Amino acid sequence: MSEPLVRYTQEDKVAVIAMDDGKANALSVQMIDELLAALERAEREASAVLLTGRPEKFCAGFDLEVMRGGDPAAISTLVSDGGALVRQLYGSGVPVVAACTGHALAAGALVLLGCDLRIGADLDCKIGLNEVAIGMVLPEWALTIAVERLSRRHLQSAVALARVSDGRGAVDAGFLDEVVGEADVLETAVSAAAAMGALSRRAYAGTVRALRGDVLARMEAQIAADRAAGAVPGI
């Protein structure tokens, strides 16, 4: 049996979900399944979620062994599962705070876009959507969340031109909300999650449904279309 890639702990009413595959935190099928299960548990047991990674590595994107493996069905399944993860984050019934501990590329950057509040480390790291630079077209669900969350001023360069930024640049682009010293990321994010967890759960969930319902429905339809096709256009 494979070792777990996601660790779930709880600090008061904050569920802390930590990705750690011992490497770059690639989104494999196993990683995504464990993250989805952890998020479902958090919605039952916690008032807020803190999502984090390893030191200097938040999430490196989809598992390259699958993405370069040449199996369209396997690629479609992985990318669609990733879309379901980002959608679950964005539609969560409890607030989600990301503690971005370092690099967040491709699908890793999309995970950030799914979180309510993104606290990053002030590092010379790489954050962004580099798909065009490596010959891939973002799936429609990813474009939907990118248009929703990224700065309009930076959308063209961040998506079409595959511009990758450091922590401070990622704030301007809209992948992060703020950066703090590397040693302060987790503490700052835990405090933010605790404060957000004090919000009315009913009011928060209802507001998310009202505010993001159209985007969530569009993402759901786009993910379903990719699954039905058995391939992701442009990949």
Side-chain angles (χ1 to χ4, degrees):
M1 183 175 179
S2 300
E3 290 292 320
L5 304 179
V6 172
R7 184 175 68 256
Y8 183 104
T9 56
Q10 197 156 317
E11 297 188 18
D12 294 325
K13 294 184 177 181
V14 175
V16 180
I17 300 173
M19 299 176 282
D20 189 351
D21 66 1
K23 295 175 286 188
N25 280 349
L27 288 181
S28 61
V29 170
Q30 179 185 347
M31 177 76 85
I32 292 170
D33 285 348
E34 291 184 19
L35 284 170
L36 286 169
L39 288 168
E40 290 172 4
R41 178 180 173 186
E43 289 204 49
R44 295 192 304 269
E45 300 178 0
S47 298
V49 172
L50 172 63
L51 177 64
T52 189
R54 304 178 64 236
E56 299 187 5
K57 295 177 178 65
F58 180 72
C59 177
F62 288 122
D63 184 350
L64 289 180
E65 287 189 15
V66 175
M67 298 301 291
R68 295 173 177 170
D71 182 341
I75 294 170
S76 176
T77 296
L78 182 63
V79 174
S80 297
D81 288 352
L85 171 63
V86 174
R87 185 188 176 281
Q88 178 73 16
L89 287 164
Y90 199 52
S92 173
V94 296
V96 180
V97 177
C100 184
T101 48
H103 302 306
L105 286 170
L110 292 169
V111 167
L112 289 177
L113 295 183
C115 299
D116 290 285
L117 180 68
R118 295 78 46 89
I119 310 295
D122 190 5
L123 292 171
D124 185 19
C125 56
K126 295 180 179 180
I127 299 174
L129 300 171
N130 65 332
E131 279 83 355
V132 171
I134 58 176
M136 295 181 179
V137 178
L138 280 164
E140 289 188 3
W141 63 261
L143 291 171
T144 295
I145 193 72
V147 170
E148 178 75 4
R149 297 302 310 276
L150 289 175
S151 162
R152 180 66 60 180
R153 184 165 58 90
H154 289 272
L155 187 61
Q156 173 73 13
S157 60
V159 178
L161 303 182
R163 181 181 177 186
V164 173
S165 306
D166 61 10
R168 289 178 181 270
V171 173
D172 286 340
F175 292 105
L176 297 177
D177 294 294
E178 64 176 291
V179 292
V180 296
E182 183 179 6
D184 299 323
V185 173
L186 285 176
E187 181 179 351
T188 303
V190 167
S191 295
M196 293 168 70
L199 296 170
S200 163
R201 186 185 182 104
R202 180 190 58 79
Y204 174 81
T207 300
V208 164
R209 287 193 297 271
L211 182 65
R212 305 175 185 171
D214 290 346
V215 171
L216 292 168
R218 188 157 65 251
M219 290 178 71
E220 183 176 23
Q222 291 162 340
I223 294 163
D226 285 345
R227 289 195 194 279
V232 179
I235 295 180

